[in-house]
Amino acid sequence: MDGTFASLAKGVAEDRYVLWLGSGISLGRMDGLKQVIGRVIEFLRTRIEADDPDCRFAKALNAALTLASLSHEERARVDLALPFDAWRDSVAISLRLVSNYARLLDIVVEGEADDYLLWEAVDVRSTFADPAKLPDVEHLCLAILMLEGAASDLISANWDGLIERAMEALAGRPSPLTVCARPDDLREPSPRARLIKIHGCATKAEQDESNYRAFLVARQSQIHGWIAHSQNAALVTRLLDLIATKPTLMLGLSAQDANIQALFADAAARLQWHWPGDRPSYVFSEDELGIDQQGLLQNVYRGDWTPATRRPIVEGSRVQAYAKPLLLALVLHVLCAKVEKLIDTATAHLEAADRLALKRGINALRDMAAASAQPDPLIFINALVDQCGRAMRLIRSGSLERAQGRYQPISIESISGMPGNPDLIASGLKEAAIAVGIIGAGVVQGAWMIKAPASLAPGEGTLQMATSAGNTKVFLAAGAQATLQLWQDGHISESEEPIIIQGHKLVPAMPRSPRGAPGRIGRLGAREVSIAGLLEVCGGFEELFQRFREELAI
């Protein structure tokens, strides 16, 4: 994200990209196509009436096996008395049907609705709307990006509700995410982000079958006729507009479905993105691009796709990282880019080199966090959510009470919208960002190390600073109100000699209880510093850093 794809990372932070999401982001939580195919075959097998030569389920199963192109030997080995997963060739059959899943689900069982296999055999409701299925790393990362204003438009080909659950877990209810699974949903307000589910939503279909079942797309006939179907006209118009006006980042999406290919080709015919540009217009989170993905690039770049440019376009359109690590990297980039933006707006009088030193400190902290993402990214992202949400609440208000959801963003707008936010001027967040930059610079210089607080309790501080003298709790507060709240609630103990870094100027000390015992000497007590005060008297980074250390006696 700092190198070849720096323009992609910057574009995401500015909310320039539409995120297109496929089944790859949910593989760790939801059944994949192989499991779905096995369920369909087994559903048909168990309903066959052996005494009925005209059994409708036997006919449907025969059609499914025909799709799998079984050899004579494989046909002879089919044993309907055994469960499908016990068949000798079950794996081979499933693999062949993966690329034919839409044709498989288009098989009609006599006397049943056209979507019978999806609704009953796949059992889309219990399989993909199961509330017991918890969000994974990808869904939590997407929720963070949405809450930070970096992903206002998302398109999903998935039926599951994991993104919605991640958003509710992080932001609370009512969720600031609008889910659109049918054209009428486009009329709903979108407080923070809009998720368009082009193949329908299992959760909505379970809750409101009469209005949403018809919008579940899985069958080949549906996919081929999706764009032309009058009921989808408004969705198609919205998608064409998004493709034409915002670059595309595809995560876990093979782009094999005909309706997706047609949408991109149609949008390119109306308003084409050219290669090369300021940033990649179409990006895939893949190690290698598949035939369908390369076909999409050929259709959208049109005249720019030549024998000479083919390889550079492919190389520039693939981030060789799957969705999980890429989204983790984008989350860390967006958070740090926002802190850097706050530094720029708060230190206009400092030279570019001085601001760069603060930003190096931010990047050092980012890289420290990234290094801890393994071996368990889910533990990491959950810790990041809780620590960031807790830190932002303490910085803003000095309290965790009445907190809604687990996460609180740095700002609700993207980086490009931050300068227009009037609340940032007096919020103290700009000065708090400088404090984080100084702390990171100290890590770079080896002046101290930092650690996460011992627990999520407010009294453990925003972080711990480790110096040669030992570990010290550090409280970071945007202004006097947050600082006073920390004192008033008893979260700061003078006897622990904590560090209190305040964004705004310090206010006269209030009486604190308990005080240290009379006559005790050699103890510093609470050490407080004002970033706003330091900025008034310091002319550059070196002086700022030195005065910071002197004020806190570290």
Side-chain angles (χ1 to χ4, degrees), residues 38 86 103 135 179 285 290 299 313 318 423 448 509 521 534:
R103 292 184 178 91
V179 178
S285 178
N299 285 330
I313 288 176
R318 59 169 185 161
D423 293 333
W448 50 69
I521 59 174
L534 292 181

Side-chain angles (χ1 to χ4, degrees), residues 43-55:
F43 177 88
L44 294 172
R45 184 195 71 83
T46 57
R47 283 159 178 77
I48 291 176
E49 298 178 12
D51 297 333
D52 183 1
D54 200 36
C55 177

Side-chain angles (χ1 to χ4, degrees), residues 25-31 126-141 160-170 173 324 378 381-382 406:
I25 70 166
S26 298
L27 282 181
R29 291 292 184 269
M30 294 293 172
D31 288 348
S126 63
T127 302
F128 293 95
D130 183 359
K133 299 287 181 67
L134 299 178
D136 207 343
V137 173
E138 294 90 334
H139 313 102
L140 294 170
C141 286
D160 66 70
L162 293 177
I163 294 175
E164 298 93 306
R165 283 176 215 150
M167 193 62 147
E168 288 184 357
L170 268 58
R173 295 184 180 182
K324 197 184 300 290
L378 184 58
I381 194 63
N382 273 304
R406 295 169 54 196

Side-chain angles (χ1 to χ4, degrees), residues 365-489:
L365 299 180
R366 178 201 65 186
D367 293 346
M368 285 177 58
S372 66
Q374 297 298 335
D376 193 329
L378 184 58
I379 290 177
F380 169 79
I381 194 63
N382 273 304
L384 183 72
V385 165
D386 290 332
Q387 294 288 3
C388 286
R390 171 185 177 277
M392 290 307 302
R393 288 188 175 92
L394 291 178
I395 289 170
R396 283 190 167 103
S397 67
S399 174
L400 300 180
E401 294 183 9
R402 298 181 298 278
Q404 181 178 2
R406 295 169 54 196
Y407 188 80
Q408 187 172 93
I410 295 173
S411 67
I412 63 173
E413 59 279 313
S414 69
I415 283 182
S416 57
M418 288 175 68
N421 184 345
D423 293 333
L424 290 179
I425 297 175
S427 68
L429 288 182
K430 296 179 180 181
E431 293 80 7
I434 294 172
V436 176
I438 294 172
I439 291 171
V443 172
V444 172
Q445 296 183 20
W448 50 69
M449 290 298 296
I450 65 166
K451 299 190 298 183
S455 75
L456 296 178
E460 294 298 332
T462 310
L463 54 91
Q464 289 189 52
M465 183 180 289
T467 66
S468 57
N471 293 341
T472 304
K473 293 179 181 179
V474 178
F475 292 86
L476 189 57
Q481 181 176 348
T483 305
L484 292 174
Q485 190 68 53
L486 287 167
W487 281 110
Q488 181 176 318
D489 291 345

Side-chain angles (χ1 to χ4, degrees), residues 189-201:
S190 178
R192 200 71 60 86
R194 190 184 302 276
L195 172 64
I196 299 177
K197 305 180 83 166
I198 59 174
H199 288 171
C201 177

Side-chain angles (χ1 to χ4, degrees), residues 117-274:
L117 289 184
L118 176 66
W119 194 251
E120 297 295 343
V122 175
D123 193 3
V124 67
R125 294 155 294 175
S126 63
T127 302
F128 293 95
D130 183 359
K133 299 287 181 67
L134 299 178
D136 207 343
V137 173
E138 294 90 334
H139 313 102
L140 294 170
C141 286
L142 289 168
I144 293 174
L145 293 176
M146 287 186 281
L147 291 171
E148 293 287 353
S152 60
D153 294 298
L154 302 93
I155 317 297
S156 177
N158 299 341
W159 298 312
D160 66 70
L162 293 177
I163 294 175
E164 298 93 306
R165 283 176 215 150
M167 193 62 147
E168 288 184 357
L170 268 58
R173 295 184 180 182
S175 170
L177 171 66
T178 297
V179 178
C180 302
R182 60 174 186 158
D184 285 350
D185 297 336
L186 293 171
R187 293 171 171 166
E188 295 298 318
S190 178
R192 200 71 60 86
R194 190 184 302 276
L195 172 64
I196 299 177
K197 305 180 83 166
I198 59 174
H199 288 171
C201 177
T203 302
K204 286 184 176 291
E206 180 188 41
Q207 296 169 349
D208 188 356
E209 180 180 341
S210 62
N211 282 317
Y212 287 96
R213 176 174 172 175
F215 290 93
L216 289 170
V217 176
R219 293 174 285 120
Q220 186 81 346
S221 56
Q222 288 178 299
I223 292 172
H224 282 293
W226 189 83
I227 291 178
H229 201 302
S230 59
Q231 74 174 7
N232 298 319
L235 280 174
V236 170
T237 300
R238 177 63 63 90
L239 293 174
L240 290 174
D241 174 66
L242 287 173
I243 295 170
T245 57
K246 297 180 78 170
T248 293
L249 171 57
M250 287 196 176
L251 300 156
L253 185 64
S254 66
Q256 72 177 27
D257 289 333
N259 60 337
I260 294 176
Q261 291 279 346
L263 278 171
F264 278 86
D266 193 354
R270 302 181 186 207
L271 183 62
Q272 182 183 350
W273 292 95
H274 289 283

